Amino acid sequence: MQFISRATPLYEFLRLSNGTNHEKRVLDCGAGGAQPPLYLFYQHGYQTYGIDISEDAIKASENFCQKNNLNIDLNIKKGDMRTIEYEDEFFSFVYSYNSINHLSKSDIIKTMREIERVLTPDGLCYVNFGSEDSEIGDRGEKIGEGEYLLPIGNNQTALHTFHTDNEADSYFRNFKLLRKEKSILYRYEKGELQFLICKIHYIGKKM
Amino acid sequence: MQFISRATPLYEFLRLSNGTNHEKRVLDCGAGGAQPPLYLFYQHGYQTYGIDISEDAIKASENFCQKNNLNIDLNIKKGDMRTIEYEDEFFSFVYSYNSINHLSKSDIIKTMREIERVLTPDGLCYVNFGSEDSEIGDRGEKIGEGEYLLPIGNNQTALHTFHTDNEADSYFRNFKLLRKEKSILYRYEKGELQFLICKIHYIGKKM
């Protein structure tokens, strides 16, 4: 199948990962969903591992494989990225795309330490964060600095965390930054600008 | 060959292009260079056409194919994107990546009209522009509004054109905007932030 992932920032991560001689073993934190990016890495010969806190999201990723007649197992299991159930230095590559922004800042600190722990020395990680420059209407209920409960329909809310431009740099103290990019997506509806979705993307190499 | 293009914003364009039923015929304006993005489209079954003003860049793209033992012809010819030598509505897809920012603003207007002319109705285009938020030292010699001659080594300079956030919107009057994204790349050297490279990326559908 000619698959182009919606998670296009991961192509840069894949390109840099392919440029190393590391063992091709990758972990996705927040791996579930209807179009699992792990399939991209699978296509490029990686041993794929994924964890997701949501059983629905895991089911959706299994449906993706079934629907596309892919007789493969992306190896996505229920798990919590704040306490990753793999041993130290087990992965050459770890990423988390559009997921960590649903954790509180104290949980993000825990998660970043876990990502660092399970990475081999010289291993690469990609993580993106929500940016404070995002325009999200009234932002719902503020519960902490850069932490908001935002409506997601059906009278439910979900935690969304936002970072200032350099705030997330501190998570990468033990990494060499290979790339840092801020992206500002203009969202239009019926030709009118509605709001901006801003993210800050990091690729680091564990020192 | 497992090829990941450095021109990662084009994956979004390829994804949207794959989602149409248009004839898979694509033109790259500024197609030459050591890693021609047209190869990505070739791999996805597109008839590829490219033009480039630079014979060296065309030669570099031919070297890419030879070096990788690709017995293919990406069909990149010498040509000027200000006067595209193809008939009206010949292409379903046209893109120009990191190229149009080397034209003056009056030439960019000409080029955008040409891109529109050679596109089929409902055809898609991707173009990115330099952003005024780029940090480029003293910016060399200013020769017009947002137009600078910047040093490129060997005592040579090259024209670089920069746009404000919404300035390029006017080129897309006859398009429906499918996507607009600004990217801010932080460039580090020896661990120190050196400068920002900012681009504004558009994907439009010809109306």
Side-chain angles (χ1 to χ4, degrees):
Chain A
M1 181 180 53
Q2 289 200 331
F3 172 73
I4 300 291
S5 175
R6 287 174 179 272
T8 47
L10 289 177
Y11 284 94
E12 192 62 39
F13 181 60
L14 176 59
R15 193 177 73 77
L16 292 175
S17 299
N18 284 348
T20 71
N21 293 317
H22 302 341
E23 188 184 10
K24 288 183 143 188
R25 185 186 284 167
V26 64
L27 173 68
D28 182 340
C29 296
Q35 284 210 14
L38 268 183
Y39 180 54
L40 176 63
F41 290 82
Y42 181 91
Q43 286 187 305
H44 282 261
Y46 287 71
Q47 301 169 50
T48 62
Y49 294 73
I51 57 174
D52 206 297
I53 200 85
S54 157
E55 286 174 16
D56 286 348
I58 294 169
K59 186 71 194 154
S61 63
E62 289 165 355
N63 287 345
F64 167 84
C65 293
Q66 283 164 16
K67 204 173 63 185
N68 293 290
N69 294 313
L70 302 172
N71 191 22
I72 59 172
D73 182 1
L74 293 175
N75 191 24
I76 301 175
K77 294 184 162 52
K78 188 170 167 75
D80 187 332
M81 63 177 106
R82 296 168 296 188
T83 52
I84 299 173
E85 292 190 350
Y86 288 99
E87 61 194 89
D88 296 359
E89 305 186 1
F90 189 67
F91 295 102
S92 317
F93 309 102
V94 180
Y95 68 86
S96 184
Y97 175 77
N98 281 3
S99 294
I100 210 166
N101 58 311
H102 294 300
L103 298 180
S104 68
K105 291 196 178 175
S106 61
D107 280 342
I108 288 175
I109 291 172
K110 276 186 212 166
T111 299
M112 291 304 300
R113 282 186 191 143
E114 280 291 271
I115 287 175
E116 188 182 323
R117 181 184 64 76
V118 299
L119 263 179
T120 56
D122 290 336
L124 305 191
C125 80
Y126 164 97
V127 184
N128 71 351
F129 302 87
S131 158
E132 273 284 356
D133 291 346
S134 295
E135 287 180 359
I136 46 169
D138 65 0
R139 285 208 166 171
E141 183 189 352
K142 181 173 180 173
I143 59 166
E145 201 52 56
E147 297 173 335
Y148 297 83
L149 290 177
L150 296 181
I152 53 168
N154 286 330
N155 281 326
Q156 293 192 300
T157 60
L159 176 60
H160 286 71
T161 307
F162 301 94
H163 286 67
T164 55
D165 281 358
N166 300 317
E167 185 179 357
D169 290 9
S170 62
Y171 307 139
F172 294 89
R173 274 198 204 101
N174 299 324
F175 289 80
K176 182 185 176 196
L177 277 191
L178 302 184
R179 193 177 172 96
K180 176 179 168 184
E181 188 171 18
K182 182 173 171 181
S183 63
I184 302 162
L185 184 64
Y186 296 72
R187 267 294 168 93
Y188 293 88
E189 274 167 40
K190 295 176 185 164
E192 293 293 313
L193 179 63
Q194 296 297 311
F195 54 100
L196 308 177
I197 301 173
C198 302
K199 305 272 183 183
I200 309 176
H201 313 259
Y202 288 78
I203 299 176
K205 180 163 86 168
K206 182 178 167 182
M207 293 193 297
Chain B
M1 181 179 55
Q2 288 200 331
F3 173 73
I4 300 290
S5 175
R6 288 173 178 272
T8 47
L10 290 177
Y11 283 94
E12 192 61 41
F13 182 59
L14 176 59
R15 193 178 73 77
L16 292 175
S17 298
N18 284 348
T20 71
N21 293 316
H22 302 342
E23 187 182 10
K24 287 183 144 190
R25 185 187 282 168
V26 65
L27 174 68
D28 182 341
C29 296
Q35 284 211 15
L38 268 183
Y39 181 54
L40 176 63
F41 291 81
Y42 180 90
Q43 287 186 306
H44 283 262
Y46 286 71
Q47 301 169 50
T48 62
Y49 293 73
I51 56 173
D52 205 297
I53 200 83
S54 157
E55 287 174 14
D56 286 350
I58 294 169
K59 186 70 193 156
S61 63
E62 288 165 357
N63 287 345
F64 167 83
C65 292
Q66 283 163 18
K67 204 174 63 186
N68 293 291
N69 294 312
L70 302 173
N71 190 23
I72 59 171
D73 182 1
L74 293 175
N75 191 24
I76 301 176
K77 295 184 162 52
K78 188 170 166 73
D80 187 332
M81 62 177 106
R82 294 169 297 188
T83 51
I84 299 173
E85 292 190 350
Y86 288 100
E87 61 193 89
D88 296 358
E89 305 186 1
F90 189 67
F91 296 102
S92 316
F93 309 102
V94 180
Y95 68 86
S96 185
Y97 175 78
N98 280 4
S99 295
I100 211 166
N101 58 312
H102 295 300
L103 298 180
S104 68
K105 291 197 179 175
S106 61
D107 280 341
I108 288 175
I109 292 172
K110 275 187 211 166
T111 300
M112 291 303 301
R113 282 186 191 143
E114 280 290 270
I115 287 175
E116 188 182 322
R117 181 183 64 76
V118 299
L119 263 180
T120 56
D122 289 336
L124 305 191
C125 80
Y126 164 96
V127 185
N128 71 350
F129 303 87
S131 158
E132 273 284 357
D133 291 346
S134 296
E135 289 179 359
I136 45 169
D138 65 0
R139 285 206 166 175
E141 183 189 352
K142 181 172 179 174
I143 59 166
E145 201 53 55
E147 298 172 336
Y148 297 83
L149 290 176
L150 297 181
I152 54 168
N154 287 329
N155 281 325
Q156 293 193 298
T157 60
L159 175 60
H160 286 71
T161 307
F162 301 93
H163 286 67
T164 55
D165 280 359
N166 300 318
E167 186 180 355
D169 290 9
S170 62
Y171 307 139
F172 295 88
R173 274 198 204 100
N174 299 324
F175 288 81
K176 182 185 175 193
L177 277 191
L178 302 184
R179 192 177 173 95
K180 177 180 169 185
E181 187 170 20
K182 182 174 173 181
S183 62
I184 302 163
L185 184 63
Y186 297 72
R187 268 294 168 95
Y188 294 88
E189 274 168 39
K190 295 175 185 163
E192 294 293 313
L193 180 62
Q194 296 298 311
F195 55 98
L196 307 178
I197 300 173
C198 302
K199 305 272 184 183
I200 309 176
H201 313 259
Y202 288 79
I203 299 175
K205 179 164 86 169
K206 181 178 168 181
M207 293 191 297

